[in-house]
Amino acid sequence: NAGVTQTPKFRVLKTGQSMTLLCAQDMNHEYMYWYRQDPGMGLRLIHYSVGEGTTAKGEVPDGYNVSRLKKQNFLLGLESAAPSQTSVYFCASSPIVYTGELFFGEGSRLTVL
Amino acid sequence: DAKTTQPNSMESNEEEPVHLPCNHSTISGTDYIHWYRQLPSQGPEYVIHGLTSNVNNRMASLAIAEDRKSSTLILHRATLRDAAVYYCIRRGSYIPTFGRGTSLIVHP
């Protein structure tokens, strides 16, 4: 039982390059989320999805795009990476009920030079 | 505002109980209180949740105030492995919102 898997775990980009982070969950959860965490900060929500084919903006969506073509996958894209996007990115999923716990991936550490 | 308020940091000695407070004065009647913890270099993990009654599980206890405006996560005997950032969040909408949490320091 893998839970929530993020790939890649580490990546170094140059300013202006693009990349995609993949989040995969095998728990048949409806909701999925992308957060970023900067040193000394809490988790800030970038985008989220409440089901296959749906996405919505979170607290800090600028510079990112997402897609949820399949229920189990939630992709986070950076079209033109900037140094301000250097961060650790966490994906999470949850079932639809309020009591449903959030399951997090191990994180993807991105450095933009 | 869906955010909660927690102290930035707390310290404890090993094998002593720890009480981590959380203020959620604007909580609605259907919001659950969830607690998560984040060990160094890991993703957050679920600890416990509750609505109105106190809750216990193998990891911790959760005490919820009668007016539900605050709650306390109780670690009955802190260990060095409990050193982490603890987050209290409201769970009642699509968007779980995390603050900076409480950094728990455990002294041997």
Side-chain angles (χ1 to χ4, degrees):
Chain A
N1 185 2
V4 178
T5 304
Q6 294 183 226
T7 52
K9 290 184 170 45
F10 300 94
R11 184 73 186 268
V12 178
L13 289 177
K14 294 181 179 178
T15 298
Q17 288 185 320
S18 64
M19 76 158 296
T20 300
L21 296 174
L22 169 63
C23 176
Q25 53 96 3
D26 60 2
M27 297 169 283
N28 201 36
H29 285 167
E30 291 293 333
Y31 296 176
M32 296 187 75
Y33 317 85
W34 274 109
Y35 292 90
R36 63 175 287 174
Q37 186 173 40
D38 300 303
M41 301 289 288
L43 298 158
R44 291 186 292 169
L45 184 68
I46 305 171
H47 286 278
Y48 64 99
S49 168
V50 300
E52 181 179 308
T54 73
T55 63
K57 293 180 180 180
E59 181 184 357
V60 288
D62 294 342
Y64 305 94
N65 56 76
V66 288
S67 65
R68 186 133 179 238
L69 299 179
K70 294 183 178 180
K71 186 177 183 179
Q72 64 267 34
N73 296 336
F74 195 28
L75 279 65
L76 177 71
L78 286 72
E79 290 186 347
S80 179
S84 61
Q85 294 177 304
T86 294
S87 189
V88 181
Y89 293 84
F90 290 99
C91 176
S93 72
S94 71
I96 200 167
V97 295
Y98 290 172
T99 56
E101 66 183 84
L102 295 162
F103 290 82
F104 283 85
E106 294 182 354
S108 297
R109 183 175 295 275
L110 175 65
T111 301
V112 183
L113 302 176
Chain B
D1 185 358
K3 287 191 176 177
T4 58
T5 303
Q6 299 176 252
N8 289 334
S9 65
M10 292 186 66
E11 297 187 31
S12 174
N13 295 318
E14 202 173 9
E15 299 190 1
E16 290 184 353
V18 180
H19 291 232
L20 300 168
C22 179
N23 180 284
H24 30 80
S25 57
T26 60
I27 194 168
S28 70
T30 55
D31 285 354
Y32 281 76
I33 299 300
H34 279 230
W35 283 81
Y36 293 80
R37 72 177 187 180
Q38 186 175 21
L39 300 171
S41 301
Q42 294 189 23
E45 63 176 347
Y46 167 82
V47 177
I48 200 167
H49 77 272
L51 182 63
T52 57
S53 302
N54 294 346
V55 183
N56 301 294
N57 66 20
R58 64 175 180 81
M59 291 181 71
S61 296
L62 175 60
I64 301 174
E66 193 170 339
D67 62 7
R68 297 203 339 115
K69 293 184 177 181
S70 65
S71 62
T72 302
L73 179 71
I74 303 166
L75 307 179
H76 295 285
R77 290 183 64 196
T79 70
L80 296 179
R81 297 195 314 177
D82 291 324
V85 178
Y86 288 79
Y87 298 98
C88 160
I89 69 167
R90 290 165 52 176
R91 190 90 172 91
S93 67
Y94 296 142
I95 310 174
T97 302
F98 289 78
R100 296 188 180 186
T102 297
S103 178
L104 177 63
I105 300 167
V106 181
H107 298 289

